[in-house]
Amino acid sequence: METVVVGVDNSDASTRAVEFAVERARHNDWKVVLVHVVPWSPYSFQTASENEHRHREKERELAAATEQVLVPMARIAEDGGVPHSEVVRHGKPSDTITDVARETGAVHVIVGRTGDGGLREAVFGSVASRLVQHAHLPVTVVP
């Protein structure tokens, strides 16, 4: 059984990407790995006080992302009857999605065209754009 990674966030485009992946997974006997990345850089500048609380805050962010993003997306896969798993991590979204694809032996990445990245992504480029340019495997961008 081949694996396909689907990058997800809290956007309508992400929901469409999961629906697209689930439909194809049913026909192609794929396992779907849903990946949500909480943007974070280990190189960000923080005060000593912030560093003391960062671990707890990261754990809270992961739990919130699981509940608010991954659980609803996993329901789509469950309703579609396809095997799936969920991954939530901190990092740079495009790099982390690629890392998970490599770790799981995925043969394909699927993402929505627009996500909830906001102005920063509009100025510096989208996750989908970075994946298309730098991923080591095929990437499908769902409008």
Side-chain angles (χ1 to χ4, degrees):
M1 175 178 294
E2 293 183 321
T3 299
V4 60
V5 165
V6 184
V8 298
D9 58 21
N10 230 1
S11 68
D12 291 339
S14 184
T15 300
R16 290 189 300 274
V18 173
E19 292 168 345
F20 177 88
V22 167
E23 179 65 27
R24 273 122 196 103
R26 277 199 305 256
H27 296 293
N28 295 307
D29 194 32
W30 288 345
K31 175 184 178 186
V32 174
V33 178
L34 303 168
V35 179
H36 177 71
V37 182
V38 178
W40 179 76
S41 170
Y43 305 109
S44 61
F45 296 101
Q46 297 177 337
T47 67
S49 168
E50 289 171 329
N51 282 336
E52 289 176 19
H53 302 288
R54 186 65 190 145
H55 179 73
R56 279 188 308 235
E57 184 60 29
K58 284 176 69 175
E59 292 302 317
R60 278 195 295 269
E61 289 171 348
L62 293 175
T66 299
E67 185 63 31
Q68 296 169 15
V69 178
L70 285 176
V71 168
M73 297 298 172
R75 269 193 215 106
I76 297 169
E78 288 168 12
D79 292 347
V82 298
H84 64 282
S85 61
E86 301 85 36
V87 175
V88 60
R89 292 194 184 157
H90 282 90
K92 181 177 178 183
S94 58
D95 291 347
T96 304
I97 291 168
T98 301
D99 290 345
V100 171
R102 201 174 269 118
E103 292 164 14
T104 60
V107 297
H108 200 113
V109 172
I110 298 172
V111 292
R113 181 174 60 206
T114 57
D116 61 3
L119 179 62
R120 182 176 50 118
E121 289 296 332
V123 173
F124 295 109
S126 71
V127 172
S129 176
R130 280 194 209 96
L131 282 167
V132 167
Q133 293 174 18
H134 300 290
H136 66 283
L137 68 170
V139 176
T140 297
V141 180
V142 177

